[in-house]
Amino acid sequence: RKEVEQDPGPFNVPEGATVAFNCTYSNSASQSFFWYRQDCRKEPKLLMSVYSSGNEDGRFTAQLNRASQYISLLIRDSKLSDSATYLCVVNGGNTGFQKLVFGTGTRLLVSP
Amino acid sequence: DTEVTQTPKHLVMGMTNKKSLKCEQHMGHRAMYWYKQKAKKPPELMFVYSYEKLSINESVPSRFSPECPNSSLLNLHLHALQPEDSALYLCASSPSGVGKEAFFGQGTRLTVV
């Protein structure tokens, strides 16, 4: 089983739609969680950290369910510029060091 | 300034060449990383440096040799690479400790011929 699993998509949605991505992780000792965005042939860029209480940044909402080892990202009012690959990233556990493990990514295509 | 700078942006090298990738950050981050990313795949961790000491080596072949000369610089020395080593090599940095966001450089696109 992969450490971090995501549906690769692609998710094809029209502008203005709401879309949700899910991610599961296998290491129950994982302590920190992030969503990154990666555009084609570019580096990953931090979108937001994910907290147990859930957090929101504009049109983006992230949630963490530690009991189910599940992370989600909700994008409201999708824009064309949201088209990218969204990477779920988990700190790989109790090494004491920041070992970020990436999911395979979910590709989002927003169309006019 | 949340910038991680990598040079060169593109590199083509033969299998007998020796080359180095460079990474620099001035954010005061004490953890630095090398990742390898193949097309349509997620980044895979290669090395982690914490306070200039190698903390994690993800069983990377010895033809890849990391070096951290100081807290701002990270190098990856390449020698006798294979064509399958062609990939995007990403450097990242973060504040030390768990739970901190990592910031990535633009990467070096390496082609081994």
Side-chain angles (χ1 to χ4, degrees):
Chain A
R1 183 185 172 188
K2 290 181 182 175
E3 282 193 70
V4 182
E5 294 203 63
Q6 293 181 253
D7 180 344
F11 284 51
N12 290 286
V13 302
E15 269 187 294
T18 295
V19 62
F21 305 139
N22 302 321
C23 167
T24 57
Y25 60 95
S26 61
N27 189 341
S28 60
S30 299
Q31 299 178 43
S32 50
F33 311 89
F34 310 92
W35 283 102
Y36 278 74
R37 168 196 171 129
Q38 187 169 27
D39 293 286
C40 188
R41 299 181 72 82
K42 299 284 190 183
E43 76 275 21
K45 292 189 175 175
L46 179 69
L47 183 64
M48 58 199 305
S49 302
V50 187
Y51 304 116
S52 297
S53 53
N55 48 304
E56 186 173 312
D57 183 2
R59 298 182 292 110
F60 300 85
T61 300
Q63 295 205 308
L64 167 65
N65 183 323
R66 285 188 186 270
S68 302
Q69 295 180 203
Y70 169 96
I71 304 158
S72 65
L73 176 69
L74 182 78
I75 305 176
R76 290 181 297 279
D77 189 21
S78 299
K79 311 289 185 194
L80 295 176
S81 57
D82 293 334
S83 297
T85 295
Y86 290 83
L87 296 157
C88 176
V89 183
V90 174
N91 180 34
N94 55 1
T95 64
F97 300 107
Q98 184 83 310
K99 180 181 171 180
L100 296 180
V101 180
F102 285 74
T104 51
T106 298
R107 191 159 170 232
L108 172 65
L109 298 170
V110 182
S111 53
Chain B
D1 180 12
T2 56
E3 190 170 284
V4 177
T5 304
Q6 288 187 244
T7 55
K9 289 191 168 36
H10 300 274
L11 178 62
V12 179
M13 61 184 289
M15 290 188 284
T16 58
N17 291 159
K18 284 185 181 181
K19 296 286 184 184
S20 296
L21 308 185
K22 297 186 183 303
C23 175
E24 188 169 6
Q25 57 88 14
H26 295 288
M27 294 178 278
H29 290 170
R30 302 310 296 271
M32 295 186 77
Y33 316 80
W34 281 114
Y35 281 83
K36 172 182 177 180
Q37 187 174 25
K38 301 281 275 183
K40 299 189 189 305
K41 298 287 188 184
E44 292 181 0
L45 182 66
M46 300 174 72
F47 303 104
V48 179
Y49 271 83
S50 179
Y51 290 89
E52 294 106 69
K53 286 186 169 39
L54 183 63
S55 304
I56 297 177
N57 175 343
E58 290 288 277
S59 303
V60 179
S62 59
R63 57 185 183 269
F64 295 91
S65 175
E67 178 197 19
C68 190
N70 60 55
S71 59
S72 300
L73 293 174
L74 186 66
N75 299 323
L76 186 62
H77 302 298
L78 314 173
H79 174 55
L81 295 193
Q82 303 296 311
E84 58 265 28
D85 295 321
S86 299
L88 180 67
Y89 288 84
L90 293 159
C91 173
S93 72
S94 72
S96 60
V98 174
K100 308 297 184 183
E101 300 92 345
F103 296 91
F104 284 81
Q106 291 183 316
T108 294
R109 195 160 296 279
L110 174 67
T111 304
V112 182
V113 297

XYZ file of all heavy atoms in Angstrom, chain B residues 33-97:
520
model
N 16.611 19.807 1.299
C 16.218 18.521 0.727
C 16.563 18.452 -0.761
O 16.525 19.471 -1.460
C 14.693 18.323 0.823
C 14.082 18.703 2.139
C 13.803 20.018 2.448
C 13.753 17.722 3.075
C 13.232 20.370 3.648
C 13.177 18.062 4.282
C 12.920 19.385 4.561
O 12.354 19.727 5.762
N 16.823 17.254 -1.215
C 16.847 16.963 -2.654
C 15.729 15.969 -2.960
O 15.591 14.942 -2.289
C 18.172 16.354 -3.096
C 19.283 17.335 -3.264
C 20.426 17.427 -2.519
C 19.377 18.361 -4.262
N 21.211 18.450 -2.981
C 20.604 19.046 -4.051
C 18.565 18.787 -5.313
C 21.013 20.116 -4.841
C 18.964 19.850 -6.090
C 20.191 20.493 -5.863
N 14.954 16.304 -4.001
C 13.920 15.423 -4.520
C 14.195 15.171 -5.998
O 14.745 16.029 -6.695
C 12.534 16.069 -4.404
C 11.920 16.009 -3.033
C 12.242 16.945 -2.060
C 10.983 15.025 -2.713
C 11.659 16.894 -0.800
C 10.392 14.972 -1.460
C 10.732 15.909 -0.518
O 10.152 15.854 0.723
N 13.737 14.021 -6.461
C 13.806 13.669 -7.886
C 12.377 13.476 -8.388
O 11.564 12.817 -7.702
C 14.593 12.368 -8.044
C 14.587 11.787 -9.449
C 15.355 10.478 -9.469
C 15.310 9.821 -10.844
N 16.068 8.541 -10.870
N 12.080 14.060 -9.547
C 10.732 13.909 -10.092
C 10.800 13.488 -11.561
O 11.340 14.215 -12.388
C 9.917 15.198 -9.949
C 8.464 15.033 -10.356
C 7.620 16.249 -10.079
O 8.119 17.369 -10.007
N 6.313 16.046 -9.907
N 10.226 12.333 -11.840
C 10.092 11.864 -13.220
C 8.760 12.370 -13.766
O 7.836 12.717 -13.012
C 10.132 10.332 -13.266
C 11.394 9.713 -12.701
C 12.560 9.765 -13.651
C 12.552 8.597 -14.601
N 13.748 8.615 -15.485
N 8.650 12.377 -15.093
C 7.443 12.895 -15.742
C 6.193 12.161 -15.251
O 6.177 10.938 -15.152
C 7.568 12.764 -17.248
N 5.173 12.952 -14.942
C 3.863 12.445 -14.518
C 3.923 11.638 -13.221
O 3.025 10.834 -12.937
C 3.214 11.604 -15.619
C 2.959 12.380 -16.904
C 2.118 11.576 -17.860
C 2.017 12.203 -19.228
N 1.525 13.571 -19.228
N 4.966 11.831 -12.444
C 5.104 11.173 -11.138
C 5.290 12.231 -10.069
O 5.708 13.355 -10.364
C 6.327 10.236 -11.140
C 6.250 9.106 -12.138
C 5.260 8.062 -11.700
C 5.328 6.847 -12.609
N 4.303 5.848 -12.260
N 5.015 11.900 -8.814
C 5.258 12.885 -7.748
C 6.742 12.962 -7.410
O 7.502 12.042 -7.739
C 4.472 12.307 -6.577
C 4.463 10.826 -6.822
C 4.409 10.656 -8.307
N 7.156 14.020 -6.734
C 8.552 14.094 -6.277
C 8.867 12.961 -5.299
O 8.037 12.607 -4.463
C 8.626 15.452 -5.584
C 7.482 16.245 -6.152
C 6.409 15.245 -6.422
N 10.074 12.426 -5.421
C 10.536 11.370 -4.511
C 11.733 11.891 -3.727
O 12.695 12.398 -4.303
C 10.962 10.132 -5.303
C 9.823 9.411 -5.991
C 10.304 8.176 -6.748
O 11.514 7.884 -6.727
O 9.450 7.504 -7.338
N 11.668 11.731 -2.422
C 12.748 12.219 -1.570
C 14.033 11.440 -1.816
O 14.018 10.211 -1.929
C 12.339 12.082 -0.106
C 13.334 12.596 0.923
C 13.504 14.115 0.811
C 12.884 12.208 2.334
N 15.146 12.201 -1.899
C 16.463 11.574 -2.027
C 17.252 11.753 -0.728
O 17.701 10.794 -0.123
C 17.247 12.210 -3.181
C 16.578 12.081 -4.531
S 17.473 12.988 -5.806
C 18.934 11.962 -6.022
N 17.443 13.016 -0.317
C 18.265 13.324 0.853
C 17.615 14.428 1.673
O 16.957 15.303 1.138
C 19.656 13.825 0.422
C 20.429 12.875 -0.453
C 20.536 13.100 -1.813
C 21.077 11.771 0.086
C 21.254 12.244 -2.636
C 21.798 10.904 -0.712
C 21.885 11.144 -2.079
N 17.876 14.369 2.990
C 17.500 15.451 3.895
C 18.734 15.857 4.684
O 19.418 15.000 5.250
C 16.387 15.036 4.885
C 16.061 16.197 5.822
C 15.138 14.580 4.146
N 19.001 17.159 4.727
C 20.040 17.708 5.588
C 19.360 18.533 6.675
O 18.461 19.325 6.404
C 20.990 18.612 4.793
C 22.144 17.877 4.177
C 21.995 17.224 2.956
C 23.377 17.819 4.800
C 23.046 16.535 2.387
C 24.446 17.137 4.246
C 24.266 16.490 3.034
O 25.311 15.809 2.462
N 19.813 18.319 7.897
C 19.326 19.107 9.011
C 20.533 19.691 9.741
O 21.401 18.936 10.176
C 18.491 18.234 9.957
O 18.037 18.974 11.057
N 20.580 21.006 9.861
C 21.741 21.681 10.463
C 23.042 21.192 9.823
O 24.001 20.852 10.507
C 21.749 21.467 11.980
C 20.648 22.219 12.685
C 19.391 21.650 12.870
C 20.863 23.511 13.147
C 18.377 22.364 13.489
C 19.855 24.233 13.781
C 18.618 23.641 13.941
O 17.611 24.336 14.563
N 23.034 21.190 8.508
C 24.198 20.854 7.675
C 24.664 19.414 7.818
O 25.728 19.055 7.297
C 25.394 21.794 7.949
C 25.115 23.236 7.541
C 24.883 24.119 8.743
O 25.827 24.365 9.493
O 23.721 24.556 8.943
N 23.895 18.590 8.493
C 24.263 17.174 8.614
C 23.271 16.319 7.827
O 22.064 16.575 7.877
C 24.262 16.739 10.078
C 25.437 17.239 10.888
C 25.418 16.634 12.284
C 26.673 16.854 13.087
N 27.314 18.148 12.962
N 23.783 15.310 7.148
C 22.911 14.411 6.411
C 22.076 13.603 7.387
O 22.608 12.853 8.211
C 23.743 13.481 5.523
C 22.943 12.520 4.630
C 22.086 13.279 3.622
C 23.892 11.554 3.906
N 20.760 13.764 7.312
C 19.852 13.104 8.245
C 19.146 11.909 7.622
O 18.860 10.928 8.292
C 18.798 14.105 8.736
O 19.412 15.223 9.310
N 18.795 12.041 6.354
C 18.087 10.961 5.664
C 18.707 10.762 4.280
O 18.926 11.718 3.546
C 16.575 11.275 5.516
C 15.911 11.377 6.885
C 15.890 10.209 4.668
C 14.436 11.763 6.832
N 19.018 9.511 3.966
C 19.429 9.102 2.628
C 18.482 7.976 2.250
O 18.495 6.914 2.872
C 20.879 8.615 2.649
C 21.339 8.063 1.294
O 20.531 7.741 0.428
N 22.635 7.968 1.124
N 17.645 8.230 1.260
C 16.628 7.252 0.889
C 17.197 6.182 -0.047
O 16.660 5.954 -1.137
C 15.429 7.959 0.239
C 14.614 8.790 1.202
C 13.800 7.920 2.142
O 12.703 7.482 1.758
O 14.270 7.689 3.277
N 18.299 5.582 0.381
C 18.923 4.489 -0.393
C 19.227 4.927 -1.820
O 18.968 4.194 -2.779
C 18.009 3.248 -0.415
O 17.722 2.824 0.889
N 19.767 6.127 -1.918
C 20.101 6.673 -3.234
C 21.442 6.094 -3.698
O 22.384 5.988 -2.900
C 20.186 8.215 -3.154
C 20.559 8.806 -4.508
C 18.872 8.794 -2.650
N 21.552 5.722 -4.979
C 22.835 5.179 -5.480
C 23.975 6.153 -5.268
O 23.787 7.377 -5.288
C 22.559 4.975 -6.978
C 21.081 4.878 -7.094
C 20.502 5.723 -6.002
N 25.166 5.625 -5.088
C 26.329 6.453 -4.745
C 26.770 7.360 -5.882
O 27.605 8.242 -5.660
C 27.495 5.559 -4.319
O 27.839 4.675 -5.377
N 26.227 7.174 -7.063
C 26.573 8.098 -8.153
C 25.966 9.486 -7.906
O 26.291 10.438 -8.593
C 26.124 7.537 -9.508
C 24.644 7.218 -9.640
C 24.388 6.554 -10.986
N 22.979 6.290 -11.217
C 22.377 5.164 -10.886
N 23.063 4.194 -10.290
N 21.079 4.997 -11.146
N 25.082 9.585 -6.919
C 24.565 10.872 -6.443
C 25.205 11.145 -5.087
O 25.033 10.354 -4.149
C 23.051 10.836 -6.270
C 22.288 10.637 -7.544
C 21.955 9.358 -7.980
C 21.900 11.720 -8.314
C 21.252 9.162 -9.158
C 21.187 11.534 -9.488
C 20.865 10.258 -9.911
N 25.894 12.273 -4.970
C 26.598 12.577 -3.727
C 26.208 13.970 -3.255
O 26.566 14.959 -3.884
C 28.113 12.502 -3.977
O 28.813 12.909 -2.837
N 25.472 14.075 -2.145
C 25.069 15.394 -1.675
C 26.157 16.030 -0.823
O 27.012 15.354 -0.253
C 23.834 15.074 -0.821
C 24.131 13.726 -0.242
C 24.927 12.999 -1.287
N 26.071 17.341 -0.747
C 27.022 18.088 0.085
C 26.327 19.349 0.581
O 25.613 19.998 -0.179
C 28.253 18.491 -0.739
C 29.281 19.306 0.020
C 30.260 20.012 -0.904
O 29.947 20.170 -2.114
O 31.324 20.429 -0.419
N 26.558 19.679 1.858
C 25.969 20.892 2.410
C 27.104 21.736 2.992
O 27.457 21.583 4.170
C 24.940 20.543 3.481
S 23.952 21.936 4.039
N 27.702 22.617 2.192
C 28.863 23.371 2.650
C 28.554 24.343 3.795
O 29.409 24.595 4.640
C 29.305 24.157 1.406
C 28.589 23.552 0.259
C 27.351 22.922 0.797
N 27.346 24.901 3.801
C 26.924 25.769 4.902
C 25.406 25.802 4.947
O 24.739 25.142 4.153
C 27.527 27.186 4.763
C 27.116 27.867 3.469
O 25.927 27.987 3.175
N 28.110 28.314 2.697
N 24.878 26.584 5.844
C 23.430 26.523 6.085
C 22.604 27.061 4.927
O 21.390 26.864 4.891
C 23.083 27.290 7.358
O 23.481 28.639 7.244
N 23.247 27.743 3.981
C 22.499 28.333 2.871
C 22.628 27.556 1.570
O 21.872 27.804 0.633
C 22.983 29.766 2.596
O 22.804 30.584 3.716
N 23.602 26.669 1.516
C 23.934 26.016 0.255
C 23.762 24.503 0.331
O 24.068 23.888 1.362
C 25.382 26.326 -0.129
C 25.711 27.762 -0.479
C 27.211 27.925 -0.686
C 24.964 28.209 -1.722
N 23.311 23.942 -0.767
C 23.198 22.487 -0.885
C 23.611 22.125 -2.301
O 23.152 22.746 -3.258
C 21.756 22.049 -0.624
C 21.479 20.553 -0.571
C 22.174 19.923 0.629
C 19.973 20.284 -0.505
N 24.503 21.167 -2.416
C 24.949 20.703 -3.723
C 24.572 19.234 -3.926
O 24.397 18.488 -2.953
C 26.483 20.829 -3.839
C 26.964 22.255 -3.709
O 26.322 23.180 -4.184
N 28.110 22.436 -3.054
N 24.466 18.859 -5.178
C 24.297 17.441 -5.518
C 25.295 17.131 -6.618
O 25.195 17.645 -7.733
C 22.871 17.157 -5.992
C 22.532 15.688 -6.245
C 22.654 14.868 -4.953
C 21.117 15.551 -6.820
N 26.300 16.329 -6.273
C 27.349 15.971 -7.209
C 26.936 14.709 -7.958
O 26.461 13.735 -7.355
C 28.674 15.755 -6.473
C 29.113 16.954 -5.688
N 29.392 18.175 -6.271
C 29.283 17.131 -4.354
C 29.733 19.042 -5.341
N 29.678 18.444 -4.168
N 27.117 14.766 -9.268
C 26.662 13.692 -10.148
C 27.850 13.071 -10.862
O 28.708 13.793 -11.386
C 25.684 14.254 -11.190
C 24.589 15.196 -10.663
C 23.820 15.803 -11.835
C 23.673 14.459 -9.723
N 27.887 11.766 -10.897
C 29.010 11.079 -11.550
C 28.552 9.733 -12.087
O 27.917 8.962 -11.368
C 30.161 10.890 -10.556
C 31.285 10.063 -11.107
N 31.938 10.371 -12.286
C 31.862 8.923 -10.667
C 32.875 9.476 -12.530
N 32.854 8.589 -11.563
N 28.900 9.472 -13.344
C 28.588 8.182 -13.971
C 27.089 7.889 -13.928
O 26.667 6.784 -13.544
C 29.389 7.052 -13.309
N 26.299 8.873 -14.298
C 24.857 8.674 -14.288
C 24.408 7.820 -15.464
O 25.129 7.647 -16.457
C 24.134 10.027 -14.322
C 24.314 10.928 -13.112
C 23.290 12.057 -13.150
C 24.211 10.171 -11.811
N 23.187 7.330 -15.340
C 22.573 6.507 -16.377
C 21.436 7.290 -17.033
O 20.878 8.206 -16.416
C 22.010 5.222 -15.751
C 23.039 4.398 -14.988
C 24.128 3.891 -15.919
O 23.841 3.329 -16.971
N 25.379 4.102 -15.534
N 21.059 6.922 -18.248
C 19.947 7.647 -18.893
C 18.674 7.659 -18.050
O 17.934 8.656 -18.066
C 19.754 6.881 -20.205
C 21.109 6.330 -20.512
C 21.708 5.973 -19.168
N 18.449 6.608 -17.274
C 17.219 6.573 -16.454
C 17.259 7.559 -15.290
O 16.262 7.761 -14.596
C 16.952 5.164 -15.920
C 18.060 4.581 -15.077
C 19.005 3.703 -15.887
O 19.161 3.939 -17.105
O 19.597 2.786 -15.292
N 18.418 8.192 -15.077
C 18.520 9.235 -14.050
C 18.014 10.576 -14.563
O 17.930 11.548 -13.798
C 19.971 9.390 -13.577
C 20.479 8.141 -12.879
O 19.703 7.511 -12.122
O 21.667 7.794 -13.094
N 17.692 10.644 -15.834
C 17.131 11.878 -16.387
C 15.824 12.191 -15.672
O 14.934 11.326 -15.568
C 16.880 11.730 -17.887
O 18.087 11.465 -18.573
N 15.712 13.415 -15.169
C 14.540 13.794 -14.373
C 14.647 15.268 -14.010
O 15.632 15.931 -14.332
C 14.455 12.956 -13.090
N 13.643 15.753 -13.297
C 13.690 17.074 -12.696
C 14.180 16.906 -11.265
O 13.602 16.146 -10.487
C 12.294 17.701 -12.706
C 12.166 19.104 -12.097
C 12.909 20.140 -12.943
C 10.699 19.487 -11.952
N 15.264 17.594 -10.927
C 15.810 17.518 -9.568
C 15.433 18.797 -8.831
O 15.789 19.906 -9.235
C 17.318 17.291 -9.610
C 17.624 15.884 -10.062
C 17.661 15.561 -11.416
C 17.792 14.857 -9.141
C 17.885 14.249 -11.837
C 18.023 13.556 -9.546
C 18.061 13.258 -10.902
O 18.267 11.964 -11.301
N 14.708 18.601 -7.752
C 14.158 19.708 -6.982
C 14.869 19.825 -5.643
O 15.041 18.833 -4.938
C 12.662 19.492 -6.731
C 11.751 19.548 -7.958
C 10.443 18.839 -7.681
C 11.500 20.983 -8.371
N 15.240 21.043 -5.322
C 15.775 21.351 -3.994
C 14.669 22.036 -3.203
O 13.855 22.778 -3.763
C 16.981 22.262 -4.137
S 17.652 22.891 -2.585
N 14.627 21.783 -1.923
C 13.652 22.446 -1.063
C 14.304 22.781 0.267
O 15.328 22.195 0.643
C 12.423 21.560 -0.847
N 13.691 23.721 0.977
C 14.165 24.036 2.316
C 12.969 24.295 3.219
O 11.870 24.630 2.751
C 15.093 25.255 2.299
O 14.367 26.452 2.059
N 13.193 24.121 4.511
C 12.148 24.423 5.480
C 12.805 24.788 6.800
O 13.966 24.430 7.049
C 11.211 23.225 5.667
O 11.846 22.185 6.383
N 12.063 25.472 7.659
C 12.579 25.648 9.017
C 12.781 24.268 9.646
O 12.144 23.292 9.244
C 11.456 26.422 9.727
C 10.685 27.068 8.621
C 10.774 26.125 7.464
N 13.652 24.181 10.614
C 13.929 22.879 11.206
C 12.744 22.409 12.032
O 11.889 23.206 12.429
C 15.172 22.956 12.092
O 14.959 23.898 13.123
N 12.662 21.124 12.245
C 11.583 20.557 13.035
C 10.449 20.072 12.164
O 10.340 20.410 10.985
